[in-house]
Amino acid sequence: MSVSWLEEIQWTEEGLVPVIAQDHVSGRILMFAWMSRESLALTVAEAYAVYWSRSRQRLWRKGEESGHRQKVLDIQLDCDSDVILLKIEQEGGIACHTGRESCFFRSLTDGEWQTTEPVLKDPKAIYK
């Protein structure tokens, strides 16, 4: 009897696994989030990213409000079985709730966090 692929993952005590979303073409890291067993199973079934929102304590379908969904093209598990990498196609070109392409838009320069990426769309126009 084989072990379910979900059981091969090293889940945190809270039943979560960290997830990195990466653009499948450019290789750019777009965001980091968490998944539960249910959200990962739904991601596999729907081929669109479904995360677990720790702040809202519920499933979060990426793009449910903004329309900026993430089509999942590949799911990879790291060598320690404790981090998931999603290779995705970012719909609308915006992954961050700040209206930027990536959530990683600040760089440490001379001891200060400097914004290095422009806002592509005002968040007030994205979220109602």
Side-chain angles (χ1 to χ4, degrees):
M1 181 172 152
S2 67
V3 177
S4 164
W5 59 271
L6 281 169
E7 297 308 314
E8 293 182 41
I9 296 169
Q10 298 299 309
W11 302 94
T12 66
E13 289 181 13
E14 297 82 21
L16 302 174
V17 65
V19 181
I20 299 164
Q22 179 183 43
D23 183 275
H24 79 105
V25 173
S26 70
R28 176 136 194 235
I29 302 300
L30 299 180
M31 59 175 277
F32 167 86
W34 296 90
M35 283 188 174
S36 62
R37 284 172 174 82
E38 182 182 10
S39 64
L40 182 54
L42 285 168
T43 296
V44 170
E46 298 174 8
Y48 281 90
V50 181
Y51 298 108
W52 176 257
S53 172
R54 294 183 307 161
S55 60
R56 293 173 262 181
Q57 289 293 297
R58 68 170 179 84
L59 293 173
W60 160 44
R61 283 177 165 77
K62 178 66 177 161
E64 64 190 14
E65 292 179 44
S66 66
H68 299 144
R69 300 188 323 156
Q70 293 177 338
K71 182 168 181 50
V72 177
L73 304 175
D74 191 19
I75 301 174
Q76 297 180 351
L77 183 62
D78 81 324
C79 59
D80 293 323
S81 301
D82 62 359
V83 179
I84 299 284
L85 174 66
L86 300 181
K87 295 199 176 185
I88 59 120
E89 178 181 304
Q90 180 64 57
E91 294 182 358
I94 296 173
C96 185
H97 75 282
T98 65
R100 292 176 173 88
E101 175 188 19
S102 171
C103 294
F104 298 94
F105 59 87
R106 294 182 287 185
S107 293
L108 188 61
T109 307
D110 298 326
E112 294 184 14
W113 293 109
Q114 302 290 324
T115 298
T116 58
E117 301 278 326
V119 172
L120 301 177
K121 189 170 186 180
D122 185 336
K124 292 177 190 153
I126 297 171
Y127 303 99
K128 307 216 178 336

